[in-house]
Structures are given as structure tokens and as C-alpha cells.
Amino acid sequence: QVQLVESGGGLVQAGGSLRLSCSASGRTFTNYLMGWFRQAPGKEREFVASIWWGGDITYYGDSVKGRFTISRDNAKNTLYLQMNSMKPEDTAVYYCAARPVTTNEYVYWGQGTQVTVSS
């Protein structure tokens, strides 16, 4: 079992920046690929970014490429999402998730943190 707790959400103006954190506890953090997802009201959940256990391979959704950066600190069991040049369409609840390296499914999810970008 892995427990995930997101923090760092809030209100920011368009063009501004926020950094989200996701603290993990439970099983060994490095056994998991980690990801960020988001869900806006009335929309389906959207993939934002993911990072392999070693931190050397990352993937991004098209809508955030070049603006968001995912990173992880395995010593601190923490996942980050640096969000720059934010847009109103980035407004959503952001979730971190953990995928065991032996599966293709994100099994553990945090409770989410609200991010609101004003125009």
C-alpha cells in the first residue's frame, strides 16, 4: 500500500507559476513510476506528466509540454510538478498517482489539490 498526499495548489494569475508536491509513504518509492493527472469540472481526467523511478525518463501531455516539469526526489519520497506560464485552462484538480513497475496501471492515487488560474 502507498499513501499519496498532494500539496501546493492554490490560486494564481495567468502567466504565473506554482509547484505541486506529492509526498509518498508506505512501500519503497523507487518501485513506482509516478504521474500527475488533472480533472477539470465536466471533463475527463487528463494525463499531465509521468516520470520513471530513476528520474531520467519523463513524459508530458501535449497541453503542458514546455511549461510544466515533473521531477522526483527519491531520498525524500516526494514527487513534484513545476508549473510555469500557467493558463486559465490549467484550472483543475491535480492528482498524483503511483504505478508499480510490474504493471501498466496506476494503482494508488492521492486525494487531489485544487489549482485555479485566473485570467
Side-chain angles (χ1 to χ4, degrees):
Q1 190 80 355
V2 175
Q3 292 78 41
L4 304 172
V5 179
E6 302 96 336
S7 60
L11 175 64
V12 63
Q13 287 189 331
S17 299
L18 276 177
R19 189 176 82 154
L20 304 183
S21 299
C22 174
S23 178
S25 61
R27 295 188 176 178
T28 305
F29 188 59
T30 53
N31 289 343
Y32 298 88
L33 180 150
M34 300 297 297
W36 287 100
F37 294 79
R38 68 186 183 186
Q39 187 165 21
K43 295 187 177 182
E44 294 187 354
R45 187 170 61 199
E46 176 187 14
F47 168 77
V48 175
S50 64
I51 185 167
W52 283 78
W53 68 273
D56 54 341
I57 300 176
T58 58
Y59 297 97
Y60 295 92
D62 288 341
S63 61
V64 306
K65 280 181 182 176
R67 300 188 299 121
F68 290 10
T69 302
I70 189 171
S71 62
R72 64 192 293 168
D73 185 335
N74 290 336
K76 295 182 178 180
N77 287 352
T78 303
L79 176 73
Y80 302 99
L81 184 68
Q82 178 66 44
M83 304 184 291
N84 298 329
S85 303
M86 298 187 73
K87 305 175 182 180
E89 51 264 44
D90 294 323
T91 296
V93 177
Y94 283 71
Y95 300 89
C96 71
R99 192 187 97 180
V101 295
T102 55
T103 73
N104 290 321
E105 180 181 358
Y106 286 90
V107 176
Y108 303 105
W109 294 83
Q111 83 289 348
T113 186
Q114 176 70 48
V115 171
T116 302
V117 185
S118 63
S119 57

